[in-house]
Amino acid sequence: MSRFLRRVLAVLCVIPLLVLDAPAARAANSATVYYKTAWSPTYLHWAPTGGSWTTVPGVVMDEPACTGWVRETVDLGTATTWQATFNNGSGTWDNNSYKNYSLGTGVITVNAGVVTANAASPCVTAPADTTAPSAPTGLTATASNTTVTLAWTASTDDVGVAGYQIIRGSTTLTSSTNGYSDRGLAANTSYTYVIKAFDAAGNVSAAGASATVTTGDAAPVTQGTMLGGDPRKDSIYFVLTARFYDGDTTNDRGGSQNVSSGNAADNDPMFRGDFKGLVDKLDYIKALGFSAIWITPVVMNRSDYDYHGYHGWDFYRVDPRLESTGASYQDLIDTAHAKGLKIYQDVVYNHSSRWGAKGLFTPTVYGVRDSQWSWYYQEKVAGKEYNPLEENSAGYPYNGDLWSSTAPAGNTCPNYGTPTGAKSKEGYTLYNCQWPSPTASMFPSTLYHQCWIGNWEGEDSRSCWLHEDLADFNTENATVQKYLIDAYNKYIDMGVDGFRIDTAVHIPRVTWNRRFLPALHDHLVQKYGAAKADEFYVFGEVGAFVNDKWNRGSVNHSAQFFTWKERKTYSDDDVAAALEQFNYENNLGTANQPTSTNAFLNGNSYHTPDHSQFSGMNIIDMRMHMNFSDAQNAFNNGKDSDDSVNDATYNAVYVDSHDYGPNKSPTRYSGGTEAWAENMSLMWTFRGIPTLYYGSEIEFQAGKQIDCGPSCPLATTGRAYYGDNLTGSVTAADYGVVSSASGNVATTLSKPLVKHLQRLNQIRRAVPALQMGQYSTDGVSGSMAYKRRYTSGSVDSFALITVSGGATFTGIPNGTYVDAVTGDRQVVTGGTLTVSLNAKGNLRVYVLDQTGNPAPGKVGADTTYLK
């Protein structure tokens, strides 16, 4: 079902409906089900418990109902329960998160996955609601620097409280809960607040008693400065911080799954590596030749298995399991910069985790502390907050701030605390509203989306939940936008050098282009000025896990789509604009998308790229990634997509990652050392920014399952702890150059693939064309061969490259060419250069030797694969 239809249905739910008589009394063992739908007709496919299913697609639901609803009565015979599902008769089904609906007798409503038993008919118009909620009481206001935190006793209402108005002078804010954090106020200034409650009918309560508070001094702004420079000059090393190197064992934490996962038996807590470990091993990364480090998200998480960082809960705080005395996040940034290494921070705009986001919204879940669940739901302690460093004997940090054994005031979750009929893996009773769900009214629709993804290439993939533990932000809401923009500005102020954007495809492009990307750029301009602001590297994960140019024909779900500005004006409302943009672009189709020559040479000439239509977001090259089971495939597929990317020379290129190997393999790449050498030779000389997942330099965990959650030990996966390979000491004399090394890290640095990587980094740094050049295959024969050129000011770098095999280059400028791998010199007088090569992973880089731009000659020493 499209998001548009869902929103129509949501509106219809609150419009007075036609008055119909409630269904007549039925015999026992019958049920009348009302189903909220936009299908016409709608079919009910059902079976009584112990009985047979109807023939697919089922029976037409054609009893009289009302707008937006259909109704059907079924005779259950002797059964008292039954299973059901719904469809449109043409192959589209309500998948209910891949489960049948379990129903009983009497009148039942089913609305967006929520089943209400013993329900009133939704087709009987309720009396008009004219009663306002009670006035809020008990307002408290506390100031911390320039942030004021408000809390008050929840109001009551005969129907339900929809939210609260927070009135500060002439400013009115809103909150869906009985608390609010008012950020960014003036320092040392008195503010008075009053609160009013309102309901869905628009009735507003009287104001509660006011509260006055004076802000303090502005918090000292943590200031760092990004290194700057063209990001294409860098190569990127990607680490899962918690799995890289353990510099401080006191912040290690195993979590609630430490024993059950098998990690405890390996003495391998999920949170093991930390910033101190990264600081200690920055020279290892530099010794490999990298000049930028992509780290996993740093914000505080609070899920059961959250070492990867993608389950953000407090976006304004760095997770303390990563920091140590003398090794804060700021210390890491500053130390890396001092060594000439950039820090790219992984950021998540799409979702928070369990449950909610601190300072935005956190739902209260049903937590019965009976003999089964008392081990999980901890006793409430007044004033105590979640702290991931404090674990109880079961490995759980304090969670008493999240749960209630009775429905909280203003609860909107149906059947709060009643058994669902299902059991946990331990056999314990599960209850309604016990776990996060987008369809159980646990999250306000203003702040969080209300549906599961049904079609991964449909509009709902941008506006519904990926997973129960990834609460999907309503990123079209201004409050959500401000929460995220302000949070990530903090890290810009710390001096990070770029953002890798997680799950970028699950937010509409128009929202990126209207809100998040301009806000990010404006803050950078304010801090650094316009020129340096453009050197902040933004690269998005657009998960197009297919082998075609456009993701199954859906332009909105294709990586290159996100590199472009909008080319049409849409409605001012962000929700409407997102729908308009999706339909407009998909209807135009793939043939009518913008094209670019920014990555391509004009013959042998470099031309100034046109970035006037650039959105501000570069991309991970998903198509090359998907095809890197063979370097030739990656090369062919990559260049086939480049005319649809605003500027493919900025693509981040990798073989595998913390999520997938090539072809969406669930295992780390295992093609062998020679194949790895070939892949690296291509990545380090073709267009784009080469990126390597930690440990690939020694084929770490090759062929191992990348992720199995807590169902197996981390030591058996592609996210295993790498630190055992790094013990000892290392000092880098330069990028790709080891000054000294001892212990296990010296052994690691002696591996043939490491030597190959070091030399590739040295060669790439010596030839500007390999970093920033446009490319062409015109006049080039050879399976993986191309020419590249970069011209800017006094710099003119022209190179001829072939990987693994021979090539002939015709129509090239005459002159002397010097190979950066062997030092071989070739004088071209007739516009043709032929290169002989037949060694997988080997490489030739013939650079035109010019006055003022001399070829570097042979760069580095021969290695197993580069000679």
Side-chain angles (χ1 to χ4, degrees), residues 302-522:
R302 71 171 295 168
S303 292
D304 290 344
Y305 213 65
D306 56 6
Y307 62 94
H308 43 67
Y310 295 96
H311 290 170
W313 183 68
D314 188 346
F315 287 69
Y316 286 80
R317 184 180 174 190
V318 175
D319 200 300
R321 291 168 289 188
L322 298 176
E323 294 194 302
S324 309
T325 301
S328 67
Y329 188 32
Q330 188 67 63
D331 292 327
L332 169 65
I333 295 167
D334 294 345
T335 307
H337 285 178
K339 292 181 179 292
L341 300 172
K342 295 180 179 180
I343 296 292
Y344 294 151
Q345 178 180 326
D346 212 318
V347 294
V348 183
Y349 287 77
N350 177 67
H351 57 262
S352 64
S353 187
R354 66 176 65 184
W355 286 301
K358 186 179 181 184
L360 182 69
F361 176 78
T362 301
T364 302
V365 302
Y366 182 79
V368 56
R369 297 197 79 249
D370 57 16
S371 58
Q372 293 183 333
W373 288 106
S374 59
W375 61 277
Y376 181 80
Y377 292 106
Q378 296 168 34
E379 289 279 8
K380 295 183 184 299
V381 179
K384 186 175 177 64
E385 291 189 338
Y386 165 78
N387 181 349
L389 291 177
E390 298 177 2
E391 295 181 347
N392 65 13
S393 59
Y396 283 91
Y398 175 71
N399 65 6
D401 56 329
L402 284 184
W403 66 269
S404 174
S405 59
T406 57
N411 168 62
T412 56
C413 185
N415 305 315
Y416 188 92
T418 60
T420 65
K423 300 288 184 181
S424 73
K425 65 180 182 180
E426 300 90 352
Y428 301 162
T429 299
L430 294 175
Y431 298 90
N432 281 302
C433 315
Q434 187 171 14
W435 308 113
S437 170
T439 58
S441 301
M442 296 176 73
F443 295 82
S445 61
T446 53
L447 304 179
Y448 285 88
H449 290 133
Q450 305 286 297
C451 50
W452 297 107
I453 293 177
N455 178 2
W456 289 87
E457 275 77 44
E459 199 283 328
D460 56 346
S461 78
R462 308 179 314 150
S463 57
C464 297
W465 288 36
L466 295 164
H467 185 268
E468 68 172 13
D469 212 21
L470 301 177
D472 199 82
F473 284 131
N474 181 355
T475 47
E476 295 77 63
N477 176 271
T479 300
V480 174
Q481 292 165 1
K482 186 176 188 306
Y483 177 86
L484 293 168
I485 289 167
D486 289 350
Y488 288 127
N489 281 348
K490 166 185 174 177
Y491 303 105
I492 292 174
D493 288 339
M494 295 175 75
V496 296
D497 302 279
F499 285 162
R500 180 267 187 184
I501 297 178
D502 181 72
T503 51
V505 69
H506 297 297
I507 294 175
R509 186 183 75 177
V510 68
T511 304
W512 283 117
N513 284 346
R514 275 185 173 184
R515 308 302 177 197
F516 295 127
L517 294 172
L520 188 158
H521 188 260
D522 289 349

Side-chain angles (χ1 to χ4, degrees), residues 133 217 227 281 312 365 413 423 438 447 498 637 647 713 745 749 775 794:
D217 294 334
L227 290 180
K281 299 303 174 185
V365 302
C413 185
K423 300 288 184 181
L447 304 179
N637 280 273
D647 192 341
V745 70
L749 288 166
Y775 78 95
S794 62

Side-chain angles (χ1 to χ4, degrees), residues 60-239:
V60 176
M61 301 182 71
D62 56 3
E63 295 181 10
C66 51
T67 304
W69 293 87
V70 291
R71 186 180 81 176
E72 188 67 21
T73 300
V74 298
D75 183 354
L76 300 175
T78 60
T80 58
T81 57
W82 54 300
Q83 300 282 304
T85 187
F86 305 89
N87 67 92
N88 69 350
S90 300
T92 300
W93 292 75
D94 175 349
N95 65 21
N96 189 33
S97 301
Y98 310 103
K99 302 187 297 293
N100 296 326
Y101 287 100
S102 297
L103 308 176
T105 58
V107 178
I108 304 157
T109 61
V110 179
N111 182 4
V114 177
V115 175
T116 303
N118 302 313
S121 166
C123 294
V124 175
T125 303
D129 179 8
T130 59
T131 303
S134 64
T137 60
L139 174 63
T140 61
T142 57
S144 175
N145 297 114
T146 56
T147 295
V148 170
T149 301
L150 303 168
W152 58 90
T153 302
S155 298
T156 58
D157 187 69
D158 59 336
V159 176
V161 175
Y164 298 88
Q165 296 177 355
I166 303 156
I167 302 167
R168 167 176 39 85
S170 61
T171 300
T172 299
L173 309 165
T174 60
S175 173
S176 58
T177 64
N178 58 322
Y180 189 79
S181 293
D182 197 6
R183 305 177 189 273
L185 300 171
N188 302 307
T189 302
S190 177
Y191 292 94
T192 298
Y193 295 84
V194 293
I195 312 296
K196 297 180 180 180
F198 59 88
D199 60 22
N203 301 303
V204 181
S205 77
S210 65
T212 300
V213 65
T214 300
T215 56
D217 294 334
V221 178
T222 304
Q223 289 287 353
T225 301
M226 73 173 185
L227 290 180
D230 193 315
R232 296 173 297 177
K233 293 182 178 180
D234 302 300
S235 56
I236 304 171
Y237 191 69
F238 171 34
V239 301

